[in-house]
Every structure is written in C-alpha cells, then in structure tokens.
Amino acid sequence: MACWIGWPATRVIIGGVLIHLTLGTLYTFGNMNPYITSYLRYKLPASDTDYSDTAWVNSASFIGIGLPIVLAGEIYDRFGPRKTVSFGCLLMSGGIALTYVTIKHSVALVVLTYGLMFGLGVGMSYVVPMSCAMKWIPDRKGLACGLTMAGFGGGAFTFDYVQTWYINPDNDPPLHHVDDKYYFHEEKILSRVPPVFCVLAGCYAALQVIGILLLRDPPEMRLVDEEDEEEESSLTDGGQLTSITSQGRDEQEQYVSWKQSWKTKDFWLLWFSLFFNSQGLLFFSTFWKVAMMALCAVCTVLMATYKLTELAGKSLFFIYVCLTFGTFGGNYSLFPLATAQTFGQRYFIQNYGLLFTSQVLMSVITAFTAPYIQNVIVWYGFFLLSTGSSFLSFILVFVLKQERPFI
C-alpha cells in the first residue's frame, strides 16, 4: 500500500495538530468553571448560580460534539477538508467570542455559546484532520491518529496556563465559602472573566487559520473518492462490506457504509465500550485492540485505588490526577483508529460520528445525575462506579478482540 511521506504528509499533520490544539481546549472547562460560576453568581442580579448549574455547559459541549460528526462527513465528501473545518472552527471560536456577551446575561446563554456552539464546532472539525492524516499515510493509521491527537492533549495543557495567567495571574484560590463550595469574590478576578473569552477566541482563530491552510487530501485520494461515488450504486448487500481498488495502491481496502455499520455486532461492541469507558490511555500502539484493553485496565485500576491517595497525601494524589488526565486522549485516538480499521477509510468520519453518539447519551446522563451521585455516594463511591464502568468496557473490548483478532 502506498505511504505518503515527506513534507506534504508532514504539513497535513502539522495542520491537524494546530487545529486540535484549539479543539482540545474543551478540557479546560474544569479550569474555567470556578471563574465562570463565580462571575454568574456574584455579578448577575439576584443570581444563586452554583456548580450544578454550570455543569450543563460542559455537558452541552459533549452533546454538541456528537451531533454534527455524521453531517461533517457528508460536507467533507462534498466540499473537502478545508471548508468543513473552516465551518466548524467558525462555530467554535464564534461561540467563545459570543460568551463575552452572554456571560453578562444568564447561565442559559453561556450553555448555548460556550457549551453547545463550542461543541458543535469541535464535532464538525474533530475527525477531519485525522481522516486527512490517515489518507496520507494509509499503512500507518495509528501513527497518523496519534500524532494528530497530540495536539488535542496539548491544547488543554497549554491554554490552562493562558486562562489562569489572564484571569488570576497570582493563582489565588477561591475563598468565599457557601454550602461546602468555594467561589471567587474578588473584583480584580471577576472583572477579567468576560474579556478572557475574546482573548481565547483570537488565539484559537489564529491557530485554526494556519492549520486549515496546511490541511488537504492527497490528490490521488480525491480522484479515488469520485470513482467510489460512482461505484456505490452497484454495491452488493445494500452497502455491506465491499472491496475497492484505489489507484496507486497495491492492496484492496474494505469498507462498510455508515448506513450499514450500525447494524453490525462490531459497531455496538465499540459503541458500548466508548460509552462505558469515560477515560482512556494515550495512544501507544497501532494494535488498537491490545491498546484499548490496556486502556480499560489502567482506568479500572486507577479508579479502584484512588482511596489510597489519602495514605500518601498530596504527592500521590497529584500522580493519580496526572495519570487520570493522561488517559483522556485514549478514547479520542484509539476509537477513531478502531473505527477506521473495522469499517474502512471511505466512510470513516460518518461511522465515527455514529459511534460518538454514545458520548451524547453519556453527557445527558452525567448532567442529570452527577450532583445527586456526588451527594449520595460521595467521591469514593463515584470512583467505584467508574471502576465498574471501565471494567465493563474492558470486557467489551476483550469480546471484540475474540471476534476480530486481525484487521
């Protein structure tokens, strides 16, 4: 199989990393939430906003991510990667910029702009750079996903510092205590909350423009995709697993139409595995089944043993937190790879969009249940619940490994 290497492929990967640096700021919400909640609570008249209200912002983001991915695949096929990602980035950065206005009015409007619009933009843009990278190096799909997703993890790490530097340069802790929760009350901090959204939107837009200019499909792949559209009318079994021969390739690629993939057992094994596995291990192997089994195992061990951090104090807790957040990238690099290897490259974006609906459902469930779970079973109970969830995901991946030991 042809492997596109050198500057053209490197340029596309760099573009994908820059785009994902901005998309990965989805995970800076934990850093922003105390400032957002405190501002809404103390700067709006007669407001008693607390963290259970602003939790909907994060849930709306994940709901938004899952909604447009299938549509993004259709737009990608019709208009190409640059226009697709441009539309998504406009939604994302535009939503963040609008939060400068909406945060001065209500939490519901913040849910709309910093939650739903942000998520819709991420969902529209998220899979496209990975798809482009995998097309340039088709026999190293795992490497393509891993390199591109490095930006996703780096975004949260980088912009956490940018946000804190702008809003709270001295990194003062929240001191105002209400109902066992802490809020910021200092005017010097709260006054910087709305402008930070303009600063972030500008930074994101600059990186996105550069990334979009570097993004493109291989020229042969564009020709092949046009030929595939003509061949689809003659597919057997209503679009079931079908072989195509791409120009310039030595091997045949198999794919499953997104209209048929959801009818397969493999799809639902992956869907429920992603649903239960809220955390993941950073990509470390192109053999994704083995990697996902390790991913789920690490999540299970971490969640089951969090109580041990009490024995060693802050140092061990810090290590556990780093390990936990270090696993977040696993879902977003291993599952796209699994989707491409299971159902093929042709409908990769659409198939992954269907798979990501599991996150939409989990986001809704989390938004409704998280405050009650925290009050009823407290944090250690939450860790045990996560342990069971990760273990279920491990079992599902093990079953999938038995069903499809080789791709």
Side-chain angles (χ1 to χ4, degrees):
M1 182 178 289
C3 181
W4 295 83
I5 57 175
W7 169 243
T10 303
R11 180 182 66 180
V12 169
I13 291 172
I14 292 173
V17 169
L18 292 176
I19 292 166
H20 273 265
L21 272 172
T22 68
L23 306 186
T25 59
L26 177 77
Y27 283 111
T28 63
F29 180 76
N31 185 54
M32 286 292 294
N33 193 21
Y35 304 114
I36 294 173
T37 305
S38 299
Y39 184 93
L40 290 168
R41 185 178 183 90
Y42 296 115
K43 300 296 285 186
L44 300 188
S47 174
D48 59 351
T49 302
D50 63 19
Y51 292 107
S52 63
D53 298 314
T54 51
W56 276 101
V57 178
N58 197 41
S59 294
S61 297
F62 280 92
I63 292 170
I65 292 174
L67 293 178
I69 296 182
V70 174
L71 176 62
E74 297 299 302
I75 296 175
Y76 181 16
D77 287 344
R78 186 175 181 85
F79 297 106
R82 287 182 177 175
K83 291 182 179 179
T84 306
V85 175
S86 295
F87 181 55
C89 290
L90 181 63
L91 270 175
M92 175 193 160
S93 297
I96 294 170
L98 284 174
T99 308
Y100 169 78
V101 177
T102 60
I103 197 171
K104 299 176 183 179
H105 292 84
S106 71
V107 65
L109 290 176
V110 175
V111 170
L112 176 63
T113 58
Y114 198 57
L116 187 60
M117 283 186 67
F118 192 157
L120 288 171
V122 173
M124 188 68 69
S125 310
Y126 163 62
V127 190
V128 174
M130 285 188 289
S131 180
C132 286
M134 286 191 286
K135 288 179 178 179
W136 280 96
I137 45 176
D139 58 349
R140 302 292 298 277
K141 288 184 171 70
L143 178 64
C145 277
L147 291 174
T148 306
M149 287 304 301
F152 200 84
F157 177 81
T158 302
F159 282 97
D160 264 350
Y161 287 101
V162 174
Q163 294 163 355
T164 303
W165 166 79
Y166 186 88
I167 300 175
N168 186 9
D170 296 326
N171 202 21
D172 296 327
L175 298 176
H176 196 66
H177 187 206
V178 180
D179 296 332
D180 295 326
K181 297 180 177 66
Y182 288 87
Y183 302 90
F184 291 99
H185 199 259
E186 298 83 355
E187 179 63 25
K188 67 176 183 178
I189 292 177
L190 298 183
S191 63
R192 298 188 184 116
V193 174
V196 77
F197 295 106
C198 294
V199 173
L200 294 175
C203 293
Y204 299 161
L207 291 171
Q208 288 163 352
V209 168
I210 298 172
I212 289 167
L213 292 175
L214 296 175
L215 205 63
R216 70 185 182 95
D217 278 336
E220 283 189 7
M221 186 63 69
R222 291 197 291 271
L223 293 173
V224 169
D225 286 345
E226 293 174 2
E227 295 171 2
D228 292 346
E229 292 177 1
E230 297 176 358
E231 293 178 5
E232 284 177 12
S233 60
S234 61
L235 296 182
T236 60
D237 299 326
Q240 294 284 353
L241 193 63
T242 307
S243 295
I244 61 171
T245 302
S246 297
Q247 181 181 358
R249 299 187 196 176
D250 298 324
E251 299 177 6
Q252 289 185 324
E253 181 185 39
Q254 295 182 320
Y255 62 79
V256 181
S257 166
W258 65 275
K259 297 177 182 179
Q260 298 296 324
S261 62
W262 67 274
K263 300 177 183 179
T264 66
K265 181 179 179 180
D266 288 348
F267 174 85
W268 290 108
L269 287 170
L270 285 169
W271 193 96
F272 279 106
S273 180
L274 183 57
F275 177 81
F276 286 118
N277 190 36
S278 59
Q279 299 165 344
L281 182 65
L282 184 64
F283 171 80
F284 64 88
S285 172
T286 57
F287 298 100
W288 60 269
K289 293 190 190 71
V290 175
M292 281 203 295
M293 290 179 67
L295 176 154
C296 300
V298 169
C299 290
T300 302
V301 172
L302 284 173
M303 293 299 104
T305 59
Y306 248 100
K307 192 71 173 177
L308 295 177
T309 60
E310 294 180 357
L311 303 178
K314 293 182 179 180
S315 298
L316 184 59
F317 182 75
F318 173 77
I319 294 172
Y320 263 66
V321 170
C322 289
L323 289 173
T324 301
F325 275 89
T327 65
F328 281 168
N331 284 347
Y332 301 107
S333 58
L334 292 176
F335 280 94
L337 175 60
T339 304
Q341 291 186 332
T342 302
F343 303 116
Q345 182 70 45
R346 176 68 181 87
Y347 292 103
F348 162 66
I349 297 178
Q350 293 93 326
N351 282 324
Y352 188 69
L354 290 178
L355 192 66
F356 209 86
T357 57
S358 63
Q359 298 297 282
V360 176
L361 180 59
M362 179 59 79
S363 298
V364 174
I365 293 173
T366 300
F368 278 109
T369 62
Y372 304 102
I373 290 175
Q374 183 179 348
N375 291 332
V376 173
I377 64 176
V378 299
W379 282 111
Y380 187 60
F382 172 77
F383 292 139
L384 290 179
L385 186 63
S386 298
T387 300
S389 181
S390 296
F391 183 71
L392 282 174
S393 184
F394 176 86
I395 295 299
L396 290 168
V397 173
F398 179 79
V399 172
L400 183 60
K401 183 179 183 296
Q402 307 310 308
E403 293 286 327
R404 296 174 63 89
F406 302 102
I407 295 295

